[in-house]
Amino acid sequence: MSGRRILAIFRRVAQEIRRDHRSVALLLVVPIVMTGLITFIVREGQTPVVEAVVVNRAGLPGVVVADALRAALEKDGGTATVVADEATARRAIEDGTASVALFLPAGLAQAGPTTLTILTDGLDPFGEAAQASAVQRAILSAVASLTGRALPTIEHTTLYGTPTDDPIAPFAPAILGFLAYFFVYILTGVSFLRERTGGTLERLMATPVTRGEVVAGYALGFGAFATVQVVLLLAWGLGSVSVPAVGPLPPFSVGLGLPIAGSPLLAFLVILLASLGAVSLGIFLSTFARTELQVVQFIPVVIVPQFLLSGILFPVSGLPDILQPFVGLMPITYAVDGLRQVLVAGAGLATPALQLDLGVLAALAVLFAGVAALTIRREVA
Amino acid sequence: MTTQTAPPGRQTLEAPPAIRATGLVKAFGPIRAVDDVSFELRPGRIYGLLGPNGSGKTTLIRLLTGMARPTRGRAEVLGVTMPARAVLARIGYMTQSDGIYPGLTVGENARFFAAAYGVRGTEGVRDALHLVDLDGRLDTVAGTLSGGQRRRLSLACALVHRPPVLFLDEPTVGIDPLLRAEFWAHFRALAEGGATIVVSSHVMDEADRCDELLFIRSGKVIARGTGAEVRARAGTDDLEEAFLRLGSDVEATR
Ligand SMILES: Nc1ncnc2c1ncn2[C@@H]1O[C@H](COP(=O)(O)OP(=O)(O)OP(=O)(O)O)[C@@H](O)[C@H]1O
Ligand SMILES: [Mg+2]
């Protein structure tokens, strides 16, 4: 390995990216816009408003219960209207004037367990689950007010803080890790593919440059941009600067101000190792692509499984047993877990779980780099 | 930098060959792109590889530069069996496709290849760009150059390290006549300085500028000699005609 030649390749890669304004935007601006948008959605998202129609089949006791229910629902901004029969209730759901229909059964007042039936249109599972639990809460509160005895409520606390403090907090590690990985992969893959198809790789291989030097130069070049990206992303994600009102502008704050329990430096280390792995992965996969479109076509093959299996969307513990072994194979799993350790659990370098994450990420980066070097075909190593 | 400093003329015939092919074969499945080729090429001379599309010129050059491994036989450059990384610093290779970075400027391209060849100092880069008449366009982004200008930059990138052995795969395609004449004058100057130059082409009117011609057909060298020798053998004054006649001989004896 010659440092001068690696440096030459590094400089070349950096010059090329710097001049490519679209890539710079993709690497630096898009992740910031995306994290901002996701955070906004999660933080400012609407709480469900229940607009219920109630069919009372329980006679007089039902009227009392319906009144208590309405009072409970209205407290949260919802409504409850008693309608004559099931047909009317179904119509109300159908034409959208009600979000939920609630049927009070005939045996409501009798001792023993009773079942209340609710009806929704079934088009929006998540929204309707939220409606159902809102109704459940209203029922509990109605029962409490009818019997005059407050039922116990649950207050959820965690080892590392209260989960309800900031709804974005549990998502932040996954979002940061994923974005850093994804864009670096795309850019490296496309850039190296151009090297292969544009004839420059053949030409480069006709110089004394070794394959290891090529991979090292690329890792340095894209690693440098990944570093800038990660620093920006972390500053934006973790920092929050309040800007006072100026003229007609209202005061606002820049930055997401995500809570962080551990050291930002460690968070940086985790993301950087993950992006280096993404550089090598991009080089490796460009072997199997002929066009830039094909690099994009690898996204469903390479990126989406990582998205599904690394605990970004679904918790790892909730995945079917048969998929569990694959979880351990996904590089992003370790990036997301490492970031969780740092951001949420406040882990330091002495924490074994974080050591494992860092170790695996570093090992994967080195392994992929080796494989990537092997895919650069050349007769003389 | 080089051992080939022999002056041009008669003596160079006595110098050891700079390039040697021995029973060279490259097969792609059923296709024999290079089919049992043997020759010795001496320093200080310009050799023309002439042949139609698909005859195996590029493949032959790739074997000689170590970009591909022969199926059989042996390729040697400067006494070293290819592929060998150590010799690459003394070989210049202008590929058939431009092989320059469109996102870099003219100057950045040339400097990058110079660094890749391990060249220190800027003289080689300056001279190479001067030769191709691009020294006034140092800061132009290569992607915005005209086709011929890109070709010229590509040649410059093969010359930055002043190699004693030079492979040029169709270097003059898309180059205007004036500059083409300049190119050939420069190739001649390099050869007189002791360089071994292999130029592939299917433009016959360039053939007479070479010291020796190697006619390639279906991966075989079907004739070798100076322009005059080849003409005499084929019994015609027209090189193009000679090429066709010699080619049909091969077809007949197959
Ligand atoms: N990598 C490869 N895989 C399969 N076949 C190949 C490969 N490279 C070359 N060939 C085949 O070898 C033959 C010779 O190709 P080559 O590129 O050497 O021709 P050429 O003389 O340079 O032609 P041209 O004048 O068009 O540049 C062709 O039939 C080509 O299809
Ligand atoms: Mg060719």
Side-chain angles (χ1 to χ4, degrees):
Chain A
M1 286 245 177
S2 139
R4 286 168 50 89
R5 287 194 299 253
I6 295 177
L7 210 65
I9 295 171
F10 159 70
R11 209 177 315 121
R12 210 268 307 136
V13 170
Q15 280 162 345
E16 206 161 26
I17 309 176
R18 217 186 39 216
R19 214 160 272 139
D20 183 357
H21 299 298
R22 221 170 305 181
S23 294
V24 172
L26 189 67
L27 215 44
L28 303 185
V29 181
V30 173
I32 285 183
V33 172
M34 282 177 73
T35 45
L37 193 60
I38 296 171
T39 307
F40 182 69
I41 291 171
V42 173
R43 276 189 184 156
E44 313 294 326
Q46 310 274 333
T47 44
V49 174
V50 180
E51 287 166 333
V53 284
V54 181
V55 181
N56 179 15
R57 293 167 179 154
L60 197 58
V63 175
V64 179
V65 171
D67 269 347
L69 256 178
R70 173 166 29 176
L73 284 173
E74 279 172 355
K75 225 173 34 217
D76 290 330
T79 58
T81 320
V82 177
V83 295
D85 53 11
E86 184 172 340
T88 321
R90 281 182 176 275
R91 260 201 314 282
I93 298 290
E94 222 172 325
D95 58 29
T97 49
S99 56
V100 117
L102 183 62
F103 301 96
L104 303 179
L108 185 66
Q110 267 129 46
T114 42
T115 307
L116 303 188
T117 313
I118 63 167
L119 173 78
T120 60
D121 59 11
L123 295 177
D124 168 18
F126 289 118
E128 286 162 26
Q131 294 263 328
S133 56
V135 170
Q136 181 97 58
R137 274 197 306 276
I139 289 171
L140 283 179
S141 128
V143 169
S145 76
L146 285 177
T147 56
R149 274 183 49 207
L151 295 169
T153 54
I154 292 177
E155 190 193 311
H156 184 181
T157 58
T158 66
L159 216 48
Y160 305 118
T162 332
T164 45
D165 269 357
D166 186 344
I168 191 70
F171 297 105
I175 298 168
L176 292 179
F178 186 74
L179 288 181
Y181 196 86
F182 182 68
F183 290 113
V184 170
Y185 158 74
I186 291 278
L187 281 186
T188 318
V190 168
S191 167
F192 208 79
L193 181 80
R194 280 193 209 143
E195 185 101 61
R196 287 185 199 276
T197 55
T200 48
L201 186 63
E202 161 113 346
R203 188 134 198 197
L204 201 52
M205 290 296 102
T207 74
V209 167
T210 67
R211 303 183 291 186
E213 287 163 1
V214 173
V215 175
Y218 259 77
L220 270 183
F222 281 95
F225 274 85
T227 306
V228 176
Q229 180 197 46
V230 170
V231 166
L232 263 180
L233 203 54
L234 282 179
W236 158 256
L238 304 180
S240 177
V241 179
S242 300
V243 180
V246 180
L249 288 172
F252 62 99
S253 66
V254 176
L256 304 180
L258 299 174
I260 173 166
S263 144
L265 226 60
L266 276 178
F268 170 73
L269 188 63
V270 172
I271 307 190
L272 189 64
L273 281 177
S275 338
L276 287 180
V279 170
S280 308
L281 186 71
I283 294 180
F284 169 63
L285 285 178
S286 73
T287 320
F288 306 104
R290 287 278 158 273
T291 63
E292 291 174 20
L293 176 65
Q294 287 177 356
V295 173
V296 176
Q297 284 169 340
F298 277 122
I299 292 174
V301 182
V302 178
I303 301 292
V304 173
Q306 302 212 46
F307 190 68
L308 296 180
L309 294 185
S310 61
I312 294 173
L313 204 54
F314 309 113
V316 167
S317 59
L319 292 173
D321 284 344
I322 197 163
L323 291 179
Q324 292 287 348
F326 295 99
V327 171
L329 297 177
M330 303 288 155
I332 295 188
T333 304
Y334 300 94
V336 171
D337 187 68
L339 280 175
R340 253 187 208 135
Q341 296 287 342
V342 174
L343 295 183
V344 182
L349 271 180
T351 315
L354 183 61
Q355 286 170 355
L356 176 77
D357 290 327
L358 287 173
V360 172
L361 284 175
L364 283 176
V366 171
L367 177 80
F368 280 154
V371 176
L374 289 181
T375 64
I376 302 175
R377 220 160 297 151
R378 180 200 219 165
E379 301 302 338
V380 278
Chain B
M1 168 163 113
T2 156
T3 50
Q4 282 75 40
T5 43
R10 204 146 269 292
Q11 280 157 298
T12 55
L13 292 175
E14 268 69 63
I19 300 168
R20 179 188 281 137
T22 322
L24 216 45
V25 175
K26 181 69 181 179
F28 296 110
I31 300 174
R32 286 191 154 202
V34 171
D35 194 358
D36 194 17
V37 168
S38 301
F39 54 62
E40 292 187 348
L41 308 182
R42 299 193 175 274
R45 293 173 75 83
I46 302 178
Y47 294 91
L49 289 183
L50 297 184
N53 290 142
S55 54
K57 303 181 294 294
T58 298
T59 308
L60 181 56
I61 291 178
R62 295 188 75 237
L63 289 175
L64 294 174
T65 51
M67 293 295 99
R69 201 176 277 280
T71 310
R72 225 166 327 120
R74 188 212 279 254
E76 285 165 86
V77 174
L78 301 175
V80 181
T81 301
M82 302 302 288
R85 202 165 68 82
V87 200
L88 291 178
R90 296 198 280 157
I91 296 179
Y93 176 26
M94 178 181 179
T95 46
Q96 190 169 359
S97 66
D98 287 334
I100 52 175
Y101 294 97
L104 300 191
T105 64
V106 168
E108 285 166 350
N109 265 294
R111 281 194 295 273
F112 171 67
F113 282 104
Y117 279 113
V119 176
R120 286 161 200 260
T122 56
E123 226 169 89
V125 170
R126 197 160 9 93
D127 290 354
L129 288 175
H130 180 72
L131 160 77
V132 298
D133 199 16
L134 282 177
D135 42 1
R137 304 290 297 270
L138 282 183
D139 295 324
T140 306
V141 174
T144 65
L145 292 173
S146 78
Q149 288 168 336
R150 276 204 289 270
R151 204 80 199 113
R152 279 147 59 182
L153 176 57
S154 177
L155 174 65
C157 291
L159 296 176
V160 285
H161 55 308
R162 304 167 186 273
V165 176
L166 199 51
F167 293 96
L168 306 170
D169 201 351
E170 304 192 12
T172 54
V173 170
I175 302 288
D176 62 74
L178 201 66
L179 198 70
R180 194 185 298 194
E182 271 177 48
F183 270 25
W184 278 103
H186 188 76
F187 297 159
R188 178 55 61 198
L190 288 174
E192 278 169 6
T196 314
I197 304 182
V198 178
V199 182
S200 85
S201 176
H202 34 68
V203 187
M204 295 297 164
D205 62 7
E206 286 186 352
D208 275 325
R209 300 178 183 267
C210 301
D211 295 309
E212 250 185 272
L213 302 176
L214 287 87
F215 280 17
I216 316 266
R217 257 291 171 87
S218 312
K220 288 183 186 298
V221 177
I222 57 169
R224 175 178 175 175
T226 63
E229 284 166 4
V230 173
R231 283 189 181 85
R233 186 143 8 124
T236 166
D237 254 3
D238 184 5
L239 265 186
E240 215 141 323
E241 181 64 27
F243 183 75
L244 291 175
R245 283 196 199 172
L246 291 167
S248 56
D249 285 357
V250 160
E251 235 85 288
T253 55
R254 265 189 151 190

